[in-house]
């Protein structure tokens, strides 16, 4: 179940727009998890991502998967490739880095 999705501004990571598609209860669960220390703040997770996969953050999701909170962060790297990084929201451990560039071929270049 997806709990929230953030669309980040082009180069300003601090400007977040919360998608209206998420139910209030999902947002509340995520907020409570943050308040109780069950997950790390997004700013800390983005620091980990920036050190690991430099590029522009284009999307962030927070999901509950098998009793663990997982941030799914999509990046457009310096070579224009799309990457998806899965991070344990409690421990900041990187669970996977997936290259998603091949999923959508370059259209028009």
């Amino acid at each position: 179940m997806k709990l929230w999705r953030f669309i980040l501004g082009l180069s300003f990571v601090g400007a977040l727009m919360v998608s209206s598609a998420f139910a209030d209860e999902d947002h509340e669960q995520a907020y409570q998890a943050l308040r109780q220390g069950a997950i790390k703040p997004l700013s800390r997770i983005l620091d980990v991502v920036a050190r690991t996969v430099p590029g522009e953050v284009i999307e962030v999701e927070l999901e509950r998967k098998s009793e663990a909170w997982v941030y799914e962060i999509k990046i457009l790297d310096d070579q224009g490739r799309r990457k998806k990084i899965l991070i344990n929201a409690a421990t900041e451990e990187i669970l996977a880095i997936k290259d998603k560039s091949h999923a959508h071929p370059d259209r028009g270049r």
Side-chain angles (χ1 to χ4, degrees):
M1 171 171 77
K2 293 180 181 178
L3 293 176
W4 61 14
R5 179 178 292 203
F6 292 104
I7 306 300
L8 303 178
L10 291 176
S11 13
F12 183 69
V13 203
L16 301 175
M17 294 172 27
V18 179
S19 173
S20 61
F22 293 97
D24 288 338
E25 65 189 53
D26 292 341
H27 178 78
E28 183 62 27
Q29 286 178 354
Y31 175 72
Q32 288 302 322
L34 180 62
R35 256 184 96 207
Q36 295 168 359
I39 63 175
K40 303 290 185 192
L42 180 58
S43 59
R44 285 189 50 179
I45 299 300
L46 292 176
D47 286 343
V48 171
V49 170
R51 289 190 306 268
T52 307
V53 181
E56 184 177 327
V57 175
I58 56 176
E59 186 175 327
V60 176
E61 295 179 20
L62 176 63
E63 301 177 344
R64 183 83 173 176
K65 295 184 179 187
S66 302
E67 302 302 316
W69 292 93
V70 176
Y71 281 106
E72 179 181 293
I73 306 197
K74 294 180 183 173
I75 301 283
L76 188 61
D77 74 9
D78 298 336
Q79 287 77 43
R81 295 180 302 230
R82 291 182 307 114
K83 307 274 183 168
K84 180 169 35 172
I85 300 100
L86 302 177
I87 299 179
N88 181 305
T91 66
E92 301 178 26
E93 174 190 3
I94 295 177
L95 305 171
I97 299 175
K98 301 176 182 179
D99 186 340
K100 303 306 272 181
S101 296
H102 62 280
H104 299 286
D106 190 5
R107 299 179 194 133
R109 283 191 197 184

